[in-house]
Amino acid sequence: MATFEEFMKLVEISLKDKTSHKRLNQIMHIMREYHVLRGLTPEKAVEVLQALGPTYVKIGQLASNRSDLLPKAYCDAFEKLRDDANPMPFDQVIEQIDRSYGRSWHEVFASIDPAPLGAASIAQVHKAVLLDGTTVAVKVRRPGVVESMAEDLMLMKHLLALAEFVSNSHRDTLLSLEGFVEEIERTTNNEVNFTIELNNLVRFRRELADEPGVTSPIPYPQYSTDAVLVMEFVQGVEISQVETLRVQGVNVDQLAMRVCQSYVTQVLDNGFFHADPHPGNILVRDDEVVWIDLGMVGSLTASERMLVGKVFTAVATGDTYLLKEAIMGLVRVTGPVDHGALLDSLSRLLEEYSTAEMKDINVGVVMTEIIELLRDQNMVMESSVTMLARGFVTIEGVIAQVAPSISVIEIVSKHVISQQAEPKYVATRLVDVVMHGAGSVEALAKLPTQLSNTLEMVDRGQIKVNGDIDVSARILATVYASVGRLSLALLSAGLFLGSSILCTTGMQPQLLGVPLLGVLGYLGAFVLGAYTVFRIMVSRHRLLNNEEPR
């Protein structure tokens, strides 16, 4: 039965939803047009997602990182969705800029190149020149994309609410899908609002200032709006174009090391990291690494950074207890947790990597496996951590492509060790030790009083102990069978005694001078007794032959 809360949720979404019927018809038309029911190849799946619109393109982009769930051919095909989109007509671009500024673009730019530098599902980028002669890149949001994505998300929420109301089966799957929709909504809201990306650029560039050879584009807040983003024009080579970089005299091993170190610094030191570090977002300009496209970023609190560092340390050292301790601080518990089973699962996971060389350990894959393992224990990683896991999967793919000999886990481990030696981290750990020590001393001081109170309660009979014993199904079956046979034996004995008493009376009717009811009682007692003896002999035979009891 659906709960009242689920009913009210469905009613609320239904009242808010004004577009799902129309949008559903559009989706069904596209499905029929591409003959989806006949099957999908990876290439055809890409075409279908592009036809469905920016929301589904975003889903494909997120799915491209989930090689643990999808075949590699589909993940590779979905990679094309990152940049391969049909460009907007230039007059539409100009119209969007004018509408966003509320004035003519000529009052801001001296010129705009009609040919786009790149086109994606949400926006496209053009090279332009400001009135003062500065060359910039202008990112323009596609018209109607905000409304289109809102319609798709409302349809997904409506279908999920309806599924929850209609059926209670597959509850875990529905909750996972609901979480996935929430993640899509959060990431798309950040990406379609360029004010958020502008703030990301400002912060990201400020925090990269101390890293030599690493930077990001200069933002221009005075020319940016929620639909138009103006930033420094960066002309460089994608980091994946290894041969071109070598021709330019770039040491690709040192370059890959710098990129990896920069990403680890973003995560563990700054707590503000690029969440989509694919090769197209990492350019090399005169041996300088430039991080671009800050539409998707992740952030970690100071405590989360410390716990993530512990996770990396535990994976590198094979410390199961440290790994469990760190994980418990990064999860949201949604149900009962079997801590013994969790520890055992984590131990087996680390054992798989204990015999591997450190350079062969893929941090992103390990983190993804941990996240999947936690779902079986009713625990869900915070969204920032799942975003981090995807980011590491991507960055490790980049490093493997540029310099396969470099180990990300080694860089992470060295960074964590050096980080722990820094004065501010030493001071933090000393404070933690002092606080924990003070707590332990306080608890120790209270121990005699607590022990005295406990003994007094035992003396008064006020202590109750609850136990939860896990008995195997085979033992339970044996107990139930034994109780049943004992009951039959008692019933047989009762019938025999009752019949004997009846036979001493003159009750009518009689058979051969003996009350008929007594004769029937003797017969019933004999049958029950014989059956009980037969079942006991069968059980003895099965026990001797080590067979399952029945």
Side-chain angles (χ1 to χ4, degrees):
M1 291 289 291
T3 64
F4 180 72
E5 182 182 356
E6 291 168 342
F7 172 73
M8 291 304 298
K9 179 180 178 181
L10 178 60
V11 170
E12 181 184 3
I13 291 178
S14 299
L15 291 174
K16 292 180 179 178
D17 190 356
K18 307 297 183 185
T19 60
S20 285
H21 179 70
K22 177 184 176 182
R23 180 56 176 155
L24 185 59
N25 288 335
Q26 293 174 349
I27 291 174
M28 295 306 296
H29 175 74
I30 293 172
M31 295 293 187
R32 288 192 295 268
E33 181 181 350
Y34 283 89
H35 307 291
V36 171
L37 294 179
R38 297 180 186 176
L40 286 175
T41 63
E43 293 73 20
K44 190 175 181 180
V46 170
E47 293 177 6
V48 171
L49 291 176
Q50 289 174 329
L52 288 172
T55 308
Y56 294 89
V57 170
K58 176 55 60 181
I59 291 174
Q61 291 173 355
L62 293 174
S64 68
N65 290 329
R66 299 308 303 269
S67 56
D68 56 321
L69 299 179
L70 294 175
K72 187 176 184 301
Y74 283 87
C75 293
D76 292 342
F78 290 164
E79 283 286 343
K80 300 175 184 176
L81 293 169
R82 296 189 181 276
D83 300 302
D84 188 9
N86 296 324
M88 283 189 287
F90 185 62
D91 57 348
Q92 200 173 71
V93 173
I94 295 299
E95 182 182 346
Q96 282 293 96
I97 295 175
D98 288 348
R99 182 184 296 115
S100 182
Y101 285 155
R103 52 181 171 156
S104 171
W105 65 273
H106 290 287
E107 298 182 34
V108 179
F109 303 103
S111 64
I112 301 177
D113 190 345
L117 296 171
S121 59
I122 292 176
Q124 69 184 44
V125 181
H126 287 259
K127 183 179 179 180
V129 179
L130 296 173
L131 293 179
D132 63 2
T134 304
T135 303
V136 295
V138 184
K139 188 174 183 179
V140 184
R141 188 173 67 203
R142 290 177 180 268
V145 70
V146 176
E147 296 77 11
S148 171
M149 298 183 91
E151 287 180 4
D152 285 330
L153 289 168
M154 179 58 74
L155 173 60
M156 293 176 190
K157 290 180 180 179
H158 204 157
L159 292 176
L160 283 173
L162 183 61
E164 289 179 4
F165 179 76
V166 170
S167 173
N168 280 327
S169 60
H170 307 294
R171 176 69 60 183
D172 293 340
T173 302
L174 291 174
L175 288 174
S176 297
L177 289 173
E178 190 172 342
F180 185 61
V181 171
E182 289 176 358
E183 181 180 358
I184 294 171
E185 184 175 29
R186 182 178 59 256
T187 55
T188 54
N189 286 342
N190 290 342
E191 287 194 71
V192 297
N193 187 347
F194 290 170
T195 303
I196 295 176
E197 184 172 351
L198 173 66
N199 294 333
N200 293 341
L201 269 171
V202 172
R203 178 179 173 182
F204 199 77
R205 182 174 174 81
R206 182 177 67 246
E207 294 187 345
L208 289 179
D210 295 332
E211 293 186 41
V214 182
T215 188
S216 62
I218 300 170
Y220 290 89
Q222 65 272 34
Y223 304 125
S224 300
T225 69
D226 68 329
V228 176
L229 176 63
V230 180
M231 67 196 108
E232 175 190 7
F233 173 70
V234 179
Q235 190 167 12
V237 180
E238 284 190 13
I239 193 170
S240 59
Q241 298 178 5
V242 179
E243 292 304 321
T244 303
L245 292 173
R246 285 192 175 122
V247 169
Q248 294 180 355
V250 176
N251 187 320
V252 292
D253 287 341
Q254 291 181 2
L255 179 70
M257 182 75 73
R258 195 189 320 153
V259 169
C260 187
Q261 184 62 59
S262 174
Y263 198 73
V264 174
T265 301
Q266 293 170 33
V267 173
L268 296 180
D269 291 351
N270 304 333
F272 187 71
F273 58 93
H274 201 303
D276 191 23
H278 67 83
N281 287 338
I282 309 174
L283 301 183
V284 182
R285 178 182 59 187
D286 298 330
D287 201 28
E288 182 182 47
V289 175
V290 185
W291 296 88
I292 65 171
D293 193 357
L294 274 295
M296 285 180 63
V297 296
S299 59
L300 299 171
T301 64
S303 61
E304 286 175 336
R305 294 201 303 271
M306 180 187 68
L307 291 170
V308 169
K310 286 185 177 181
V311 170
F312 290 141
T313 303
V315 172
T317 59
D319 190 333
T320 307
Y321 293 97
L322 179 62
L323 180 59
K324 180 177 180 294
E325 176 192 344
I327 284 174
M328 294 305 296
L330 294 170
V331 299
R332 177 165 41 88
V333 179
T334 60
V337 177
D338 187 337
H339 291 273
L342 174 62
L343 193 63
D344 184 58
S345 298
L346 292 175
S347 177
R348 287 200 303 270
L349 178 66
L350 292 182
E351 282 178 4
E352 293 179 13
Y353 295 96
S354 62
T355 57
E357 294 288 337
M358 185 173 287
K359 63 182 179 63
D360 297 327
I361 298 177
N362 191 309
V363 178
V365 172
V366 174
M367 292 185 69
T368 303
E369 289 179 357
I370 291 173
I371 291 171
E372 296 300 321
L373 183 151
L374 293 177
R375 287 178 182 169
D376 296 334
Q377 285 290 341
N378 301 310
M379 291 187 290
V380 179
M381 279 283 190
E382 296 296 338
S383 59
S384 56
V385 182
T386 56
M387 188 176 287
L388 174 62
R390 288 198 303 270
F392 263 107
V393 169
T394 306
I395 200 69
E396 284 183 312
V398 172
I399 299 302
Q401 188 175 0
V402 177
S405 61
I406 292 178
S407 168
V408 175
I409 185 65
E410 286 183 358
I411 294 175
V412 173
S413 301
K414 290 177 181 177
H415 191 94
V416 171
I417 293 171
S418 63
Q419 186 185 61
Q420 292 174 348
E422 294 178 7
K424 63 177 181 179
Y425 288 98
V426 172
T428 302
R429 295 188 67 182
L430 284 175
V431 170
D432 288 341
V433 169
V434 170
M435 294 300 292
H436 282 94
S440 300
V441 170
E442 183 180 358
L444 185 62
K446 293 179 180 179
L447 183 60
T449 303
Q450 292 173 340
L451 183 59
S452 175
N453 291 337
T454 302
L455 291 174
E456 185 177 352
M457 292 174 69
V458 170
D459 187 51
R460 294 178 180 179
Q462 295 175 336
I463 295 290
K464 292 192 300 183
V465 178
N466 295 325
D468 186 8
I469 301 175
D470 187 12
V471 182
S472 71
R474 181 169 182 173
I475 294 176
L476 288 175
T478 303
V479 171
Y480 289 148
S482 300
V483 171
R485 287 159 197 159
L486 180 60
S487 300
L488 288 177
L490 291 175
L491 183 58
S492 176
L495 281 174
F496 182 81
L497 291 175
S499 299
S500 298
I501 294 172
L502 284 175
C503 289
T504 62
T505 68
M507 179 182 289
Q508 298 294 330
Q510 294 187 350
L511 179 64
L512 301 177
V514 179
L516 181 58
L517 190 57
V519 173
L520 293 176
Y522 277 128
L523 181 62
F526 173 78
V527 171
L528 287 175
Y531 177 76
T532 302
V533 172
F534 171 73
R535 294 306 306 171
I536 290 173
M537 296 301 293
V538 170
S539 297
R540 180 176 180 274
H541 171 76
R542 292 185 181 280
L543 181 63
L544 293 174
N545 290 277
N546 197 27
E547 298 179 8
E548 292 288 335
R550 292 182 182 176

